[in-house]
Amino acid sequence: MDDVTEQPATGARTAEPLTQYVQRVSRRVRAFDARRPLLWDLHLTGFWVTAALIDYYGGGWLTVTRAPDSPRWLVLTLSLGLSVPLLWRRTHPRTVLLALTPFALVNAWTGILLQAVMLHLLVVFHIALRRPARTLWWAAALLTATATVTAVRHPQGGPDRAIVPVLMTFAVATAIGITVRTRRDHTETLEDRARRLEIERDQQARLAAAAERARIAREMHDIIGHNLSVITGLADGGKYAAAKSPERATQALHAIATTSRQALGELRRLLDVLREEDHPDETSGLPLAPQPGLTDLDQLVSGVRAAGLPVDLTVTGTPSLSPGRQLTVYRVLQESLTNTLKHAGPGTTAHIELSYEERGAVTATVTDTGRGGPAPGPDGRGLPGMRERTALYGGTLEAGPHPAGGWRVHLSLPEEPPQ
């Protein structure tokens, strides 16, 4: 039975220890080469020059040569001429091949036949790895010319034994170079794609964080701004009523307490979202209510009336809105009434016209009889927050002075798209 390597529980594939070791060594070698390419080239060139000199001084070339009486200085010159130019094989492979060709032709013509001529294949490998494919054609022509000179000058064994092996080794070196080049390009493409995906992921995270901050800012503004405005109105009314009607002052204090608890509950619910806990904290004693909706409009209107702003509510049609649309309508009405409380002045009245249409379409208009409020400053969050909420559902929001006096806010949400 074949051995099966266990996989981690996550399903990720784990490399064998030997493979991991080879990968680590390969990464270190590539990193060293990237930092000091000249030092690496000197080491490799020195190795081949040493091998060529050993072949010369050790007499190894005499076992294959067809001209054993050749001058020693010529053999030494050919040995160095076929190995020293390899120092520039990576930066200028075509130039190196041209520089090696005269030595290779002399080697073939004289019949010395040094094995160092095979170093041509290392240059061919770098041409296939780093240069356009058309360069390989004239590289093949140069090597074929050298083999042809050998076959013509020294025809022992026939031309096939001189030319065919050269062409086969050329093909192998070319195939290896193209394979390494393809794998390198593929790896670079994957790394570039990974970098792009990482950048895109970080950008998406930043955009999501910015959107979440904007949403939280809108919710905090709506909760704190509205409830504090109501509490302020109740406190002012209770202060004036304390001397003449203690009962009314007590009612105002009770309304302040109720509004404060409601604001604390909404803030706690909002902050619990940020805590990212699996289970809500049940030790605080504050219940987690759902986000407000259209069923809470009566409570909203009652709280504003208790704060001293007479509000008239007119509703037509039957609501059939999703929770998100209900929250949008509720927050727009809440913000509009809060602005009226803060800016409209004494003796102001407000009127809400709410019309439900088919398939989730809704229009809401809030008008008041006050003096109107100033245009929102650059740091204001009220009107921009309302417009952002409305834009999420493709709606429109208009806010400005009413022709008959006061202020008017008009919200319109289109029909919900079919699911």
Side-chain angles (χ1 to χ4, degrees):
M1 182 176 179
D2 294 336
D3 294 336
V4 179
T5 303
E6 290 189 5
Q7 300 291 335
T10 58
R13 184 176 179 180
T14 304
E16 295 292 341
L18 179 59
T19 302
Q20 295 178 354
Y21 174 77
V22 171
Q23 290 175 348
R24 287 196 300 269
V25 172
S26 178
R27 284 195 296 267
R28 291 174 182 174
V29 170
R30 288 197 298 267
F32 177 81
D33 185 29
R35 293 193 304 268
R36 298 179 178 86
L38 180 59
L39 184 60
W40 179 260
D41 290 340
L42 285 172
H43 276 79
L44 190 60
T45 304
F47 171 80
W48 291 115
V49 171
T50 302
L53 293 178
I54 291 174
D55 183 54
Y56 167 70
Y57 286 108
W61 65 279
L62 293 172
T63 61
V64 296
T65 185
R66 296 174 187 175
D69 297 331
S70 299
R72 296 299 176 129
W73 65 266
L74 179 59
V75 178
L76 178 60
T77 302
L78 293 178
S79 298
L80 295 176
L82 292 171
S83 57
V84 172
L86 293 178
L87 180 63
W88 299 278
R89 72 193 182 283
R90 290 198 293 183
T91 55
H92 303 88
R94 291 176 295 188
T95 303
V96 171
L97 184 61
L98 291 174
L100 293 177
T101 299
F103 295 98
L105 291 174
V106 173
N107 182 60
W109 183 268
T110 59
I112 297 176
L113 303 182
L114 293 174
Q115 296 300 307
V117 75
M118 300 300 292
L119 296 176
H120 273 76
L121 300 177
L122 186 59
V123 182
V124 170
F125 166 80
H126 282 282
I127 291 177
L129 180 65
R130 306 173 189 279
R131 292 297 180 262
R134 62 178 180 271
T135 308
L136 293 169
W137 291 106
W138 63 262
L142 291 178
L143 267 67
T144 303
T146 303
T148 302
V149 170
T150 302
V152 171
R153 287 280 297 169
H154 308 282
Q156 291 90 341
D160 292 345
R161 295 188 60 183
I163 298 177
V164 174
V166 171
L167 294 179
M168 291 181 62
T169 53
F170 174 83
V172 171
T174 301
I176 295 174
I178 293 175
T179 301
V180 174
R181 180 175 187 165
T182 302
R183 182 172 179 82
R184 182 194 63 185
D185 293 344
H186 179 66
T187 302
E188 291 177 353
T189 301
L190 292 179
E191 291 176 351
D192 181 68
R193 181 182 179 186
R195 285 193 296 269
R196 291 177 181 272
L197 289 176
E198 185 176 356
I199 293 173
E200 182 178 354
R201 181 200 63 191
D202 295 341
Q203 290 176 342
Q204 292 292 339
R206 287 194 293 269
L207 291 174
E212 185 66 10
R213 286 195 296 269
R215 185 189 69 82
I216 294 171
R218 290 195 302 266
E219 294 292 337
M220 295 286 286
H221 174 272
D222 293 340
I223 294 171
I224 296 176
H226 170 75
N227 288 287
L228 286 182
S229 297
V230 172
I231 291 172
T232 301
L234 291 171
D236 290 339
K239 179 179 66 175
Y240 290 115
K244 298 181 180 180
S245 178
E247 182 180 351
R248 293 291 299 275
T250 301
Q251 293 176 353
L253 291 175
H254 177 72
I256 289 174
T258 302
T259 303
S260 300
R261 282 193 292 271
Q262 178 184 356
L264 287 175
E266 293 187 17
L267 285 175
R268 177 182 176 275
R269 180 176 63 250
L270 180 62
L271 295 176
D272 276 348
V273 175
L274 305 179
R275 293 168 61 183
E276 297 181 351
E277 294 181 351
D278 295 334
H279 303 285
D281 184 8
E282 299 178 356
T283 61
S284 63
L286 293 175
L288 287 178
Q291 289 276 50
L294 296 177
T295 56
D296 300 300
L297 281 181
D298 291 337
Q299 182 179 356
L300 173 65
V301 171
S302 299
V304 175
R305 287 171 180 166
L309 175 64
V311 180
D312 182 22
L313 175 62
T314 302
V315 179
T316 58
T318 302
S320 59
L321 278 71
S322 63
R325 287 177 171 244
Q326 291 189 37
L327 178 62
T328 297
V329 175
Y330 180 91
R331 291 303 190 197
V332 169
L333 297 180
Q334 182 187 54
E335 178 65 22
S336 300
L337 295 176
T338 301
N339 289 338
T340 300
L341 274 173
K342 292 193 295 185
H343 303 298
T348 300
T349 61
H351 179 67
I352 301 175
E353 293 183 4
L354 191 57
S355 176
Y356 301 112
E357 302 176 10
E358 296 181 355
R359 291 188 292 183
V362 61
T363 58
T365 304
V366 181
T367 56
D368 63 54
T369 60
R371 61 174 181 266
D379 298 328
R381 293 188 179 272
L383 289 178
M386 289 193 291
R387 290 194 173 96
E388 290 174 1
R389 289 182 183 276
T390 305
L392 289 176
Y393 297 97
T396 59
L397 182 80
E398 300 174 359
H402 195 277
W407 194 262
R408 175 180 178 272
V409 176
H410 178 73
L411 165 70
S412 176
L413 295 181
E415 297 179 355
E416 291 192 74
Q419 300 296 325

